[in-house]
Amino acid sequence: MTKRVLITGITGQDGSYLAELLLDKGYEVFGLVRRASTPSTERIEHILDRITLLVGEMTDQTSLIEAMEASQADEVYNLAAQSFVGDSWTIPVSTGDVDGLGVTRLLEAIRRVKPEARFYQAATSEMYGKVHEIPQSETTPFHPRSPYGVGKVYGYYITLNYRESYGLFAANGILFNHESPRRGLEFVTRKITNQVSRIKLGMATELRLGNLDSKRDWGFAGDYVEGMWRILQADAPDDYVLATGETHTVREFCEIAFGHVGLDYNDHVVIDQRFVRPAEVELLLGDPTKAKTHLGWEPKVSFRGLVEMMVDADMERLSR
């Protein structure tokens, strides 16, 4: 029998890669999308004829119940979020409503409509914030440093709560930074690769950034969605860190990106205080041992491979 899946946030980076993966595995795919005057389906344009889109909002309980009734999903992946850390200080209440309470609404919809469905919550390394240990594992205490991180901590614990209170198969994937050519232009990695391409093609001369010494554990989004799927195939629900176990600075990212097109980042990068966060998360480094041991998951694309893939994609897009 064909498995059915509901993906919230299907039009985002992770949603599009996950939809492709599950279609290849023979799933019937449903995606939750917000009503908008301008469609934002460019990341899934190539698979639109193979999936079913349902209109709904993470802030609207009724629409989530209706999405569960329509999809009768066996697996639910909650990838919907206000996911840009920088904007979470500007819209903290909205961020908390979607990233925190939205998870509760979706869990309630599952509990009422199809409690046997398996639920995946997209947690994040931003929950660690001011880190208490290096590297960070499933047992590291959370100390979020942004409204986004705080909202995600709520989402994490309400998932855990529904697992323990109602016996739902509800699992958290604590994903460290994962990027791709489909990453939004507002994220620092894509901002870098896009601007590098513009500079190389003579369309710009400088790249303005904040803290070049911020360290992150960066992987490829295509690898990470496979980890999400594996989390829901496990015998029992649990929480897992998905990470590369390597850390790199924004400076290193710039060095490889500019170097890939024969440029020196020192000639083009300008430090701009506008891009320095009110509370900075200095070092994120994940320990993926549990996912490797229990799920057999490990990332395939290297850091350099990821940066060069993103630069190549932006060069091709802008050249056209």
Side-chain angles (χ1 to χ4, degrees):
M1 197 169 114
T2 303
K3 274 191 179 178
R4 298 159 74 92
V5 62
L6 174 64
I7 303 171
T8 72
I10 194 170
T11 59
Q13 168 189 260
D14 292 6
S16 64
Y17 281 112
L18 180 62
E20 287 174 351
L21 177 79
L22 296 181
L23 285 169
D24 287 346
K25 291 184 180 296
Y27 282 69
E28 185 175 351
V29 176
F30 295 80
L32 190 77
V33 294
R34 285 181 296 171
R35 169 75 183 90
S37 53
T38 308
S40 59
T41 54
E42 65 269 17
R43 291 186 184 97
I44 54 171
E45 209 71 50
H46 60 297
I47 53 171
L48 271 179
D49 59 339
R50 300 170 62 199
I51 62 180
T52 303
L53 297 183
L54 306 170
V55 175
E57 296 266 359
M58 296 302 292
T59 54
D60 185 88
Q61 182 72 68
T62 303
S63 68
L64 297 179
I65 291 171
E66 288 178 350
M68 276 305 298
E69 288 173 341
S71 65
Q72 287 297 311
D74 302 296
E75 296 174 12
V76 179
Y77 294 83
N78 183 34
L79 311 185
Q82 191 301 96
S83 60
F84 188 46
V85 177
D87 281 353
S88 74
W89 277 283
T90 310
I91 48 170
V93 176
S94 171
T95 299
D97 195 9
V98 173
D99 297 6
L101 288 173
V103 186
T104 315
R105 295 185 188 103
L106 186 53
L107 284 163
E108 267 300 292
I110 293 167
R111 187 172 77 87
R112 290 167 184 271
V113 178
K114 195 170 181 180
E116 68 274 22
R118 297 188 169 203
F119 175 74
Y120 171 87
Q121 166 60 11
T124 168
S125 57
E126 288 287 331
M127 301 188 306
Y128 296 119
K130 190 175 182 179
V131 298
H132 290 238
E133 62 182 10
I134 299 168
Q136 295 90 52
S137 72
E138 293 80 5
T139 58
T140 303
F142 299 137
H143 189 150
R145 298 268 278 173
S146 66
Y148 168 75
V150 173
K152 284 291 192 175
V153 168
Y154 180 101
Y156 173 92
Y157 278 117
I158 201 67
T159 299
L160 183 65
N161 184 256
Y162 269 64
R163 181 164 83 216
E164 294 177 349
S165 302
Y166 301 114
L168 296 190
F169 192 113
N172 287 289
I174 307 171
L175 271 59
F176 280 67
N177 295 62
H178 47 289
E179 317 296 319
S180 76
R182 299 180 193 175
R183 192 55 141 156
L185 287 167
E186 70 274 22
F187 290 88
V188 68
T189 50
R190 186 71 195 294
K191 179 181 177 180
I192 293 168
T193 60
N194 181 65
Q195 199 67 354
V196 162
S197 303
R198 286 169 54 81
I199 291 168
K200 179 63 178 177
L201 295 169
M203 301 161 72
T205 57
E206 66 178 26
L207 166 61
R208 292 184 167 268
L209 294 171
N211 183 5
L212 293 189
D213 297 315
S214 275
K215 294 178 179 176
R216 293 291 183 272
D217 182 328
W218 277 301
F220 172 52
D223 290 341
Y224 284 56
V225 298
E226 197 218 330
M228 298 176 187
W229 174 76
R230 287 183 181 230
I231 287 172
L232 289 199
Q233 309 318 305
D235 293 336
D238 206 346
D239 309 315
Y240 296 90
V241 163
L242 298 185
T244 68
E246 295 178 9
T247 188
H248 300 276
T249 61
V250 175
R251 192 183 304 278
E252 284 177 80
F253 199 106
C254 288
E255 203 171 349
I256 293 173
F258 278 97
H260 189 52
V261 294
L263 299 174
D264 184 340
Y265 82 97
N266 290 297
D267 297 335
H268 302 282
V269 173
V270 178
I271 303 302
D272 190 329
Q273 290 303 314
R274 289 178 303 161
F275 300 118
V276 177
R277 293 174 179 175
E280 185 59 80
V281 176
E282 298 291 348
L283 171 60
L284 291 175
L285 174 62
D287 177 3
T289 303
K290 183 177 173 182
K292 189 174 181 178
T293 306
H294 293 226
L295 306 174
W297 177 85
E298 52 189 322
K300 301 180 183 74
V301 177
S302 69
F303 175 66
R304 177 175 290 275
L306 170 68
V307 179
E308 293 180 350
M309 173 204 301
M310 291 175 69
V311 172
D312 288 343
D314 277 326
M315 283 293 292
E316 186 188 342
R317 179 180 59 85
L318 289 166
S319 297
R320 283 203 303 269

